[in-house]
Amino acid sequence: VLTLNDGVIPPTLNHETCDPCAADLSIVANTAITRDVKVLLNNSLAFGGYDAVLCLAKPGVLPEHVELAEDAS
């Protein structure tokens, strides 16, 4: 939430070497950067499969109504 408010993207600490397969990705390594962030995605992974994904957006960026797919079960 602070990233949406302040525009400061925190770094990945202790990042020393980038995998060549990820050369095209924009990685924030060791030093924070400032950007106009409108939408962010946070992946939280834990032991035992307790995982969560959180998507946050500034007001007015996403559509007000999103059609959800029907449950296929």
Side-chain angles (χ1 to χ4, degrees), residues 44-51:
S44 297
L45 309 174
F47 293 109
Y50 296 100
D51 306 333

Side-chain angles (χ1 to χ4, degrees), residues 1-8 10 37 40 42 54-58:
V1 174
L2 289 175
T3 298
L4 288 175
N5 285 333
D6 303 335
V8 177
V37 178
L40 63 85
N42 179 308
L54 180 65
C55 181
L56 299 171
K58 286 184 176 179

Side-chain angles (χ1 to χ4, degrees), residues 17-25:
T17 318
C18 188
D19 187 322
C21 294
D24 293 339
L25 298 177

